[in-house]
Amino acid sequence: MGEFGEQESRGYDRRATRLLGGLYRHIADEVATSTGTGEAVLDVGTGPGVLLAHLGRRRPDLLLHGVDLSPHMIALARTKLAGRPVELSVGDVGALPYPDNSFDLIVSSLSMHEWPDPVAAAAELERVLRPRGTLALYDFRFVRDAAMRTALGARFEEPTVRRKVVRPRGYPIGLYAQWTARAACRTRSVDDSRYA
């Protein structure tokens, strides 16, 4: 996955805030209605933190976390989310900097198409989800997703892996899709030593 430099990060922040507000509001609405009180949510590829800002306003009870490969994006997110209880980390979806069973929900918006290794990404997403936790990936509707769907099917309960077209309110056509999956109910020993 390519890393955004400082200038690219600032440009993306301006575009994301202006052009993608409807998508972020749509995702925030779905997260707000599908999560329980105090649940832990991870935004993978959080960029400048626009989605986390929406979620923080809608559901201040959630334990919000964001991870991005670019330190410049994380710096922008820290500025945008200053004063809010959000944990931000620099990290790659193929090697997430969190212990096993950390999150009730993992969400990602418009970064899946950049992930170079769907198998490693699916394994890491499944690893950090709690049993029965939910994964919700949003990306452009027309991205090539066969490798990611296969990887999700191998790591998550096959009947729960689904894809649907998403059309936020006010959008004339469905430009986006949502891929969802649910983690199996499993017992796993947790080795937190590598994250200390």
Side-chain angles (χ1 to χ4, degrees), residues 105-122:
L105 171 68
I106 297 175
V107 65
S108 180
S109 55
L110 305 180
S111 71
M112 184 185 78
H113 67 272
E114 297 279 358
W115 299 347
D117 187 346
V119 172

Side-chain angles (χ1 to χ4, degrees), residues 78-191:
R78 282 197 174 103
T79 300
K80 186 179 297 294
L81 298 164
R84 296 178 193 217
V86 177
E87 180 186 299
L88 297 166
S89 302
V90 175
D92 190 304
V93 68
L96 291 169
Y98 306 102
D100 295 357
N101 305 324
S102 292
F103 302 103
D104 300 290
L105 171 68
I106 297 175
V107 65
S108 180
S109 55
L110 305 180
S111 71
M112 184 185 78
H113 67 272
E114 297 279 358
W115 299 347
D117 187 346
V119 172
E124 280 294 276
L125 294 167
E126 189 264 345
R127 180 184 67 77
V128 301
L129 265 176
R130 292 178 177 148
R132 308 302 302 156
T134 301
L135 175 68
L137 309 176
Y138 299 81
D139 213 320
F140 296 107
R141 178 181 171 187
F142 305 105
V143 301
R144 294 181 182 175
D145 70 339
M148 194 68 215
R149 289 178 84 173
T150 299
L152 291 174
R155 297 302 301 205
F156 291 84
E157 294 182 340
E158 183 62 45
T160 72
V161 178
R162 295 195 174 94
R163 179 188 185 273
K164 71 176 184 179
V165 174
V166 173
R167 189 174 69 123
R169 194 176 323 126
Y171 282 56
I173 59 172
L175 292 176
Y176 309 104
Q178 176 195 51
W179 293 259
T180 56
R182 185 171 298 280
C185 186
R186 69 211 183 276
T187 305
R188 183 184 338 173
S189 64
V190 178
D191 175 14

Side-chain angles (χ1 to χ4, degrees), residues 2-145:
E3 182 184 316
F4 280 75
E6 183 175 2
Q7 195 168 16
E8 294 91 351
S9 297
R10 291 186 187 284
Y12 183 86
D13 185 26
R14 285 190 296 275
R15 290 189 304 277
T17 301
R18 188 172 58 250
L19 301 175
L20 301 173
L23 175 63
Y24 291 128
R25 284 188 296 276
H26 176 88
I27 297 170
D29 288 345
E30 287 195 348
V31 171
T33 59
S34 67
T35 50
T37 303
E39 288 192 342
V41 177
L42 173 63
D43 181 17
V44 176
T46 195
V50 177
L51 177 58
L52 290 174
H54 282 284
L55 289 173
R57 285 191 293 274
R58 289 289 311 275
R59 290 287 304 277
D61 64 293
L62 295 176
L63 304 173
L64 299 176
H65 303 259
V67 64
D68 200 282
L69 184 62
S70 169
H72 302 291
M73 285 290 197
I74 291 298
L76 285 172
R78 282 197 174 103
T79 300
K80 186 179 297 294
L81 298 164
R84 296 178 193 217
V86 177
E87 180 186 299
L88 297 166
S89 302
V90 175
D92 190 304
V93 68
L96 291 169
Y98 306 102
D100 295 357
N101 305 324
S102 292
F103 302 103
D104 300 290
L105 171 68
I106 297 175
V107 65
S108 180
S109 55
L110 305 180
S111 71
M112 184 185 78
H113 67 272
E114 297 279 358
W115 299 347
D117 187 346
V119 172
E124 280 294 276
L125 294 167
E126 189 264 345
R127 180 184 67 77
V128 301
L129 265 176
R130 292 178 177 148
R132 308 302 302 156
T134 301
L135 175 68
L137 309 176
Y138 299 81
D139 213 320
F140 296 107
R141 178 181 171 187
F142 305 105
V143 301
R144 294 181 182 175
D145 70 339

